[in-house]
């Protein structure tokens, strides 16, 4: 039997007795291998395919936890193949799910085999069977994503022998519904999109300056007033200040019944939801609802922010133009947090509550008489230690509700972080390294790798944000830095902030394909990752997205543009590819370049009188990606 493997040479040695030439094959040349993302831990691909019969049967354990796995298979096969699909309680079937006892698979691992007899998925627990089903669907033709019967498709599945387990237990995506509200149905869609690539944790950012999104019965104003602002369209943080007469009717919130429904929906798909109530900064929606939570005069005039600028970042740290912080010297704040965290804890069964702790401006604290008195009373040297005092008190509240506290890496500042607190490192990996050295558990979310709300290509064509994270950056993500105890790294996640997100289609564009790269970093062994092979698989999944009508970014095809200027003031551009196999062509004469135009190679002098650079990428005679247009004025700015 002729075999192929997606495992790196260590695994290949295990099968060398079966195939003498297998070691010659590599990830980059195994074009016949299925395009599975994230790439499995171990996989062997015998030659051959199993063709689905006219009547397809599915059989497996009678387990309520598998309801979604069964319904997903039934629904997709029914809609796309036109074949008869039935679910059996027991006995042999086309697709057979079964539970086994194999400690090496853990709670989420699975074994998947496809041969002439059909499909077999085995796992210790229902979660493993669920993930095995996700892999099986990726093995099927892309038309499995069709909402209607696909005509002329050979419904065949390649033979495989897969043993697959996750690298990390925490494989998360953060969804910010505070800056812009997304409906309950859109949150469900977000969960469905996550689990297709074996993510298992939804970090739910529920509160911020722009909105409070969860019903708290003890404090009804949080949603009566705090969930609504003035609708603005344009670039967030550049909006004009709302006029007093503009209607505050843009936003929304989730009732407690909505939250229970979402928690159940997530649990049915083996997703844990981690709620975030972001304090003491990012709290304008709470203060606008209950001004007594502030100790700054005039807070009773504050309104929920609509995207207008109110934080000054020019000093390298946040300074508030309006005080958006809960007051650490105000006992009403701790009463408020006790009740809020109590209600939140009762709604979310997972062990963690995220308390935020990031980007807290302290310029109002530095001169506030009540906070200065607190400093003197508690022996706090500065405002960083004031925040540490606040964090310690909040940790006691959260612990009293039977939960563990998690926060952004700023909660390390000021010292004294309680030992049981976990740290989410977002300002690179430095905070995570520091936290792990102090013995804290860590979730890695470095903004230079996993912030999927940032630009992913050239700023001339991408929706404008302050910096770029390309697909290569996301694929380079390794949650365990050198020198850090791997046992303390729970995993990582992709972060989707929503300042610039106005609808779900744009969210998809920002998420994919970068979330594919991050999923592989969190599930697959690091030694199995291979950039060129990954890109081949990404392109196959883009074709699946086309069938599913899921939006994604083509940015990986588009040129990386570097601009320099010599001593004479002459401009030069260098155009590079992010992926191999492409040719970049350009024009300076205002015409639209194609593959017959000059091919970019090395430094290109910008003609003295040229006002516009146009750039395109081609694979052979097929244009890939979009045309990039960069004005001379923009080139001049980039060269400074």
């Amino acid at each position: 039997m002729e075999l192929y493997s997606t495992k790196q040479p260590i695994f290949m040695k295990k099968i060398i007795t079966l195939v003498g030439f297998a070691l010659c094959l590599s990830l980059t040349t195994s074009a016949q291998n299925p395009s599975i993302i994230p790439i499995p831990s171990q996989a062997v691909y015998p030659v051959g395919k199993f063709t689905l019969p006219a009547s397809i049967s599915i059989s497996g354990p009678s387990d309520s936890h598998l309801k979604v796995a069964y319904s997903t298979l039934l629904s997709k096969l029914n809609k796309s193949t036109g074949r008869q699909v039935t679910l059996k309680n027991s006995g042999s079937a086309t697709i057979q799910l079964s539970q086994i006892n194999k400690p090496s698979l853990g709670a989420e691992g699975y074994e998947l085999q496809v041969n002439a007899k059909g499909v077999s998925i085995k796992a210790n627990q229902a979660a493993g069977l669920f993930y095995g089903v996700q892999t099986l669907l990726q093995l099927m033709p892309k038309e499995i994503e069709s909402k209607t019967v696909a005509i002329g498709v050979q419904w065949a599945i390649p033979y495989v022998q897969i043993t697959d387990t996750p690298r990390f237990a925490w494989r998360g995506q953060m969804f910010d519904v505070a800056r812009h509200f997304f409906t309950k149905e859109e949150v469900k869609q977000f969960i469905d999109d996550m689990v297709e690539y074996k993510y298992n944790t939804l970090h739910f950012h529920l509160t911020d300056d722009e909105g409070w999104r969860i019903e708290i019965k003890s404090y009804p104003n949080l949603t009566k007033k705090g969930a609504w602002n003035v609708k603005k369209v344009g670039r967030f943080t550049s909006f004009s200040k709302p006029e007093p007469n503009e209607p505050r009717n843009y936003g929304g919130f989730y009732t407690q019944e909505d939250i229970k429904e979402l928690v159940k929906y997530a649990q049915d798909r083996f997703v844990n939801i981690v709620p975030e109530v972001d304090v003491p900064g990012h709290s304008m929606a709470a203060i606008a609802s209950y001004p007594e939570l502030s100790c700054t005069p005039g807070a009773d005039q504050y309104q929920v922010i609509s995207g207008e600028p109110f934080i000054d970042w020019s000093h390298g740290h946040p300074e508030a133009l309006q005080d958006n912080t809960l007051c650490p010297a105000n006992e009403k704040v701790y009463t408020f947090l006790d009740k809020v965290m109590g209600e939140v804890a009762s709604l979310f069964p997972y062990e963690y509550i995220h308390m935020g702790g990031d980007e807290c401006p302290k310029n109002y604290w530095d001169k506030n008489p009540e906070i200065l008195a607190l400093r003197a009373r508690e022996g706090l040297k500065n405002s960083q230690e004031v925040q540490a005092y606040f964090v310690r008190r909040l940790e006691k509240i959260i612990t009293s509700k039977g939960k563990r506290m998690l926060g952004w890496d700023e909660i390390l500042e000021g010292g004294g972080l309680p030992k049981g607190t976990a740290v989410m490192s977002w300002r690179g990996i430095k905070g995570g390294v520091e936290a792990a050295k102090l013995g804290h558990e860590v979730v890695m979310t470095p903004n230079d790798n996993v912030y999927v709300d940032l630009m992913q290509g050239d700023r001339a064509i991408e929706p404008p944000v302050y910096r770029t994270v390309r697909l290569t950056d996301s694929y380079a993500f390794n949650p365990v830095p050198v020198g850090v105890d791997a046992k303390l790294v729970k995993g990582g996640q992709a972060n989707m902030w929503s300042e610039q997100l106005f609808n779900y289609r744009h969210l998809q564009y920002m998420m994919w394909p970068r979330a594919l790269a991050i999923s592989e970093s969190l599930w697959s062994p690091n030694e199995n990752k291979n950039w060129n092979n990954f890109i081949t698989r990404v392109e196959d999944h883009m074709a699946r997205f086309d069938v599913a009508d899921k939006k994604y970014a083509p940015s990986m095809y588009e040129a990386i543009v570097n601009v320099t200027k010599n001593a004479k003031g002459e401009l030069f551009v260098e155009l590079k590819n992010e992926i191999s196999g492409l040719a970049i062509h350009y024009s300076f004469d205002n015409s639209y370049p194609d593959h017959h135009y000059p091919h970019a190679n090395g430094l290109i002098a910008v003609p003295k009188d040229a006002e516009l650079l146009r750039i395109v990428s081609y694979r052979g005679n097929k244009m890939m990606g979009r045309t990039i247009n960069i004005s001379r004025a923009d080139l001049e700015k980039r060269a400074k």
Side-chain angles (χ1 to χ4, degrees), residues 41 43 108 155 177 244 304 522 613 638:
S41 307
E108 296 181 299
W155 289 103
V177 296
V304 180
L522 296 174
L613 168 64
R638 298 186 189 203

Side-chain angles (χ1 to χ4, degrees), residues 332-373:
K332 291 180 180 178
V333 166
Y334 301 103
T335 301
F336 168 80
L337 290 171
D338 184 76
K339 291 181 179 179
V340 168
M341 294 303 176
E343 292 192 37
V344 169
S346 69
L347 292 169
F348 294 94
Y350 194 50
E351 62 179 310
Y352 288 97
I353 291 178
H354 200 301
M355 54 73 60
D358 62 314
E359 298 180 333
C360 178
K362 300 178 176 65
N363 52 304
Y364 279 87
W365 292 6
D366 290 338
K367 57 188 177 184
N368 183 278
E370 294 178 56
I371 290 180
L372 293 175

